[in-house]
Amino acid sequence: MKARDVMTAHPSVITPDETILRAAELMRDRHVGMLPVIDNLSDRRLLGVLTDRDIVVRCIAAGHTMRCAIRDHMSTRRLTTVHLDDEVETIAHKMRRDHIRRVPVVDHEDRVAGVVAVVDIATRLEPSDAMLVEGLERDASAVVEQYVARRSSGARVEFRVD
């Protein structure tokens, strides 16, 4: 099974000049936790992503306003992407490796074609593939548990926001 088979096609997207408030409204209204950030609506080339976590950690917790531009808070370094013809196993490997639950799907010109989330994989695989999804969830949960443990011990917590 390939990315094109499990992805959410035509995902909601946002541009760098739009506001954090607009992104939060889109996330709320569309029930998503990540928006691909694109250059413009006609070309749809991926520039970065904005997650609900980016909004909380990079904007709100840092004392910024919801009127900030997306470009000031989006993730751009070390973006993890998959291609339309990537196999689900490849997607799962990248998600586990980079501790992410959602990944943009791009075409051969880096235009956003869709998004794959752990739930997309979970709902489309055969019961015999349950271990794949369980591994994804376990790895993502382990990262959160490590963060909480370090934070509650009073240690300075540094983490990569993808």
Side-chain angles (χ1 to χ4, degrees), residues 75-154:
S75 297
T76 57
R77 293 184 323 188
R78 298 186 58 219
L79 282 180
T80 300
T81 62
V82 298
H83 291 91
L84 288 163
D85 290 321
D86 284 352
E87 295 289 338
V88 168
E89 292 78 10
T90 301
I91 299 166
H93 169 75
K94 287 183 175 187
M95 293 171 100
R96 289 181 83 171
R97 179 193 68 203
D98 296 342
H99 306 290
I100 57 175
R101 294 176 188 242
R102 306 168 209 90
V103 61
V105 180
V106 295
D107 67 12
H108 63 282
E109 294 179 357
D110 283 335
R111 292 181 300 204
V112 174
V115 170
V116 174
V118 171
V119 69
D120 296 324
I121 295 172
T123 58
R124 290 177 180 91
L125 291 181
E126 299 296 321
S128 60
D129 295 320
M131 294 299 290
L132 178 68
V133 175
E134 185 178 318
L136 286 170
E137 282 297 323
R138 184 178 51 247
D139 288 350
S141 295
V143 170
V144 172
E145 288 171 15
Q146 290 171 9
Y147 171 79
V148 170
R150 286 189 212 137
R151 184 87 168 131
S152 62
S153 71

Side-chain angles (χ1 to χ4, degrees), residues 12-14 19-37 48-56 60 66 70 73-75 102 162:
S12 298
V13 294
I14 200 150
T19 66
I20 292 291
L21 177 61
R22 176 69 182 132
E25 291 169 344
L26 273 172
M27 288 179 181
R28 177 198 64 206
D29 296 346
R30 306 285 165 71
H31 306 285
V32 297
M34 186 268 288
L35 294 170
V37 181
V49 297
L50 184 76
T51 66
D52 45 6
R53 183 175 174 175
D54 291 333
I55 292 173
V56 171
I60 297 170
M66 295 296 283
I70 298 298
H73 302 288
M74 67 188 214
S75 297
R102 306 168 209 90
D162 289 333

